[in-house]
Amino acid sequence: MPRIKKGKRGSNKCSLRHEVLQLQLSAKGPLSLKGGRNGVKGESGASDDELASDVLSHYSSASESASVVDEATGGYTHTDTQTQTDREDSIIALCIWSTTGGGGEPVDEQTAQEETEDKLKQCIDNLMDKSAKTRLAALDSLGGAFSSKLLYDFLLERRLTVSDCLERSLRKGGGEEQAAAATVCAQLCVQLGGGDEGEEGFKILRPVLSAIMIDGCASVAARQSCARALGMCCYVSAAEDGEDLVKSMSHLESVFTMSYPNREGTLPTPNAGTPGLHGAALHAWALLVTLCPASRLTVLLDLHLPKLQACLESSDVNYRIAVGETIALLVELGRDIDREFEFEDSDTLCESLKGLATDGNKHRAKNDRRKQRTIFREVLHYIENEDFSEEKIRFGVEGIYIDSWMRRRVYDAFKEVLESGVRHHLQFNPLLRDIFGLGPPLILDSSVKSSKISRFEKHLFNSAAFKARTKLRNKVRDKRADVM
């Protein structure tokens, strides 16, 4: 058997190190050519996070191939260990370089803020472009920015311009543009808060949102988005205005009551997409119900609870879930008014809820059955025993407890509008902090901020933990093999 020459494994690792350095220099070259002033990071074909991710994946795959050679040769030598260290040093240097913009210094925060505002100004200008594609792209960009950042100061002096552009998109745009514009309307109200500025914007947008939502010829997706936006805008901006509240609730009722049973007691056959529209309108209406006074609540409970109970037999799982959550919310609000509150036909309601909580019909999808059983178990437990499954939402060093159906409905409504940015707004937006009783935003000490590990450090930690766990499990598996 021929002898394996010493250093052959090392030559493989040296070539790997050479490839990593080539990746580093090839990425640094275009950035240094296109870089701006004051150390501002220039544009490149791929982002720094993607570059670091590519290098890490390259390193991981190369490590696996090197381990195969090590098995064949019987272990590591001093040359192997030194090459491994050099390779890790190169990758760490590349990741440090990528996070500092290639110049060795972090990008100035004020400069980054100015760049963000310039991009937002361009998006606002693009809202008036003749091309529908350009307008839609601008709406998507604004939606992402409104969701992930707090831009009150920037929007304060441009709120009328943005409101006019959104109104134009709602009136003249296609279905997709109308849906995107309605979502941005809701995010704009959340950004401006519940003051005079938010109320001013809501006065402009409420008529057109209501008109599209009740228009049977409009796109179903646009109507659904308008229903969600109408509920959120009214909740944020018209909490003190009873007239706007009543009008908005009336428009929402006109949509979801189309799913109520007819005089014969049979549910109407839904058209394609209408259960989603009815569910969005019902959720928005339930959000506004939390603002109603006790006298109005009593009327709503008597009017809607019996009809909603019949809608539990709907053929759409998401609409059934929306109905169940709304019933639990209405019962909770009724008990807040009167501790002795009881639904007239509570026995029949509990039987229906038990059937849905244990539904095992095979003609329904497995995920639908699982989701339905989870929700209706919670609804049933609350109706029978007033038990609620408490949930804690963490953000930063803080957290809020979701301990009631009303609190869950409010949190879910903001989550639908802000999506992944809801935690950022809970941390910094005075409106959400006031609604959930969090007080003014926390000012963290620098030592607390510096204690947060970077994404790269987290990756290294997870990789080390994965390797240690794999080694431990392999040892156990080997012992099992010997016993067998």
Side-chain angles (χ1 to χ4, degrees):
M1 178 178 179
R3 299 178 65 183
I4 300 176
K5 293 184 180 180
K6 186 176 181 180
K8 190 170 183 179
R9 288 169 14 233
S11 63
N12 289 336
K13 295 185 178 181
C14 287
S15 63
L16 172 62
R17 181 171 181 269
H18 181 67
E19 291 178 12
V20 171
L21 291 176
Q22 278 186 335
L23 281 173
Q24 179 178 358
L25 292 175
S26 63
K28 190 172 182 179
L31 286 172
S32 61
L33 289 174
K34 295 184 180 180
R37 297 179 183 176
N38 300 326
V40 179
K41 190 164 56 176
E43 298 178 356
S44 63
S47 66
D48 296 334
D49 291 340
E50 292 172 346
L51 176 62
S53 176
D54 291 341
V55 175
L56 287 173
S57 62
H58 182 78
Y59 164 55
S60 176
S61 60
S63 298
E64 293 176 359
S65 62
S67 65
V68 175
V69 180
D70 291 338
E71 289 182 8
T73 55
Y76 289 104
T77 64
H78 175 71
T79 306
D80 300 330
T81 306
Q82 184 63 36
T83 307
Q84 174 78 5
T85 304
D86 293 342
R87 182 171 59 213
E88 292 176 353
D89 291 343
S90 299
I91 294 173
I92 293 172
L94 175 58
C95 291
I96 293 175
W97 172 86
S98 67
T99 57
T100 58
E105 296 180 359
V107 177
D108 182 54
E109 185 176 350
Q110 183 178 357
T111 305
Q113 179 69 19
E114 291 175 356
E115 288 183 351
T116 301
E117 292 185 357
D118 289 341
K119 292 178 181 178
L120 290 173
K121 291 175 185 176
Q122 184 60 48
C123 288
I124 294 173
D125 291 340
N126 289 343
L127 291 178
M128 295 176 281
D129 195 88
K130 292 183 179 180
S131 170
K133 186 176 181 180
T134 303
R135 294 196 304 270
L136 186 59
L139 287 169
D140 291 339
S141 298
L142 285 177
F146 289 176
S147 171
S148 60
K149 299 178 183 295
L150 197 61
L151 302 167
Y152 177 80
D153 295 331
F154 173 80
L155 291 171
L156 188 60
E157 57 186 14
R158 299 173 177 85
R159 63 186 187 279
L160 295 179
T161 302
V162 176
S163 298
D164 290 341
C165 292
L166 292 176
E167 183 185 15
R168 179 182 176 183
S169 292
L170 287 169
R171 291 188 183 278
K172 299 183 178 181
E176 190 175 0
E177 183 179 348
Q178 287 176 327
T183 300
V184 177
C185 288
Q187 294 171 340
L188 177 64
C189 287
V190 174
Q191 289 279 347
L192 295 176
D196 295 336
E197 297 83 5
E199 186 176 353
E200 185 180 20
F202 179 62
K203 294 288 187 184
I204 296 174
L205 297 170
R206 185 185 66 80
V208 64
L209 288 173
S210 300
I212 295 173
M213 183 185 66
I214 63 178
D215 183 7
C217 298
S219 164
V220 175
R223 296 176 68 192
Q224 185 173 338
S225 186
C226 286
R228 189 180 298 116
L230 181 63
M232 176 55 67
C233 292
C234 186
Y235 181 83
V236 170
S237 306
E240 305 298 330
D241 191 335
E243 184 179 355
D244 281 340
L245 179 62
V246 171
K247 287 182 179 179
S248 298
M249 292 185 67
S250 176
H251 288 140
L252 290 166
E253 285 177 1
S254 68
V255 174
F256 72 80
T257 52
M258 299 298 293
S259 65
Y260 281 3
N262 54 28
R263 293 180 180 179
E264 288 76 21
T266 58
L267 294 175
T269 303
N271 298 323
T274 53
L277 171 62
H278 295 158
L282 182 60
H283 272 151
W285 178 83
L287 177 66
L288 298 183
V289 165
T290 62
L291 301 176
C292 291
S295 58
R296 178 65 178 167
L297 267 176
T298 305
V299 177
L300 293 175
L301 290 172
D302 294 338
L303 177 63
H304 289 283
L305 268 179
K307 303 292 183 65
L308 287 173
Q309 180 181 346
C311 290
L312 290 174
E313 303 299 326
S314 172
S315 59
D316 185 82
V317 61
N318 292 317
Y319 187 59
R320 288 197 302 272
I321 290 173
V323 170
E325 291 174 337
T326 303
I327 289 175
L329 173 63
L330 292 176
V331 172
E332 180 182 83
L333 294 174
R335 288 173 177 171
D336 288 342
I337 299 172
D338 181 8
R339 293 300 304 168
E340 302 300 325
F341 173 81
E342 283 293 340
F343 180 52
E344 292 182 359
D345 198 8
S346 59
D347 293 337
T348 306
L349 174 61
C350 289
E351 287 298 323
S352 299
L353 294 175
K354 285 179 183 177
L356 293 169
T358 58
D359 186 13
N361 289 334
K362 298 299 183 180
H363 68 273
R364 289 174 182 161
K366 186 176 181 180
N367 290 335
D368 290 347
R369 295 200 306 270
R370 184 185 299 115
K371 182 168 60 173
Q372 174 181 286
R373 287 195 297 264
T374 301
I375 295 296
F376 281 100
R377 268 192 224 108
E378 296 180 5
V379 175
L380 180 62
H381 289 164
Y382 180 76
I383 298 294
E384 290 183 334
N385 307 314
E386 296 190 31
D387 290 339
F388 184 86
S389 301
E390 193 175 86
E391 180 184 3
K392 185 175 183 180
I393 309 296
R394 296 181 179 273
F395 49 92
V397 297
E398 301 174 273
I400 59 171
Y401 286 95
I402 307 299
D403 54 4
S404 66
W405 287 101
M406 182 176 73
R407 206 168 172 85
R408 176 181 285 186
R409 177 82 292 272
V410 174
Y411 174 76
D412 287 346
F414 280 106
K415 188 177 179 181
E416 288 170 1
V417 170
L418 299 173
E419 297 178 344
S420 61
V422 66
R423 295 175 190 266
H424 177 81
H425 281 264
L426 282 170
Q427 201 167 355
F428 299 107
N429 192 325
L431 172 68
L432 270 72
R433 295 186 68 85
D434 179 57
I435 290 173
F436 290 98
L438 294 169
L442 297 181
I443 301 176
L444 299 179
D445 185 73
S446 58
S447 60
V448 178
K449 292 181 179 180
S450 62
S451 64
K452 184 178 180 181
I453 64 174
S454 65
R455 182 185 298 178
F456 180 63
E457 290 173 332
K458 188 183 294 184
H459 172 80
L460 292 180
F461 175 80
N462 290 336
S463 299
F466 175 75
K467 289 179 181 178
R469 185 167 60 249
T470 303
K471 288 181 180 179
L472 180 62
R473 289 176 177 174
N474 285 340
K475 289 179 181 179
V476 175
R477 292 183 185 121
D478 292 343
K479 289 179 180 179
R480 287 178 190 163
D482 293 340
V483 172
M484 294 295 290

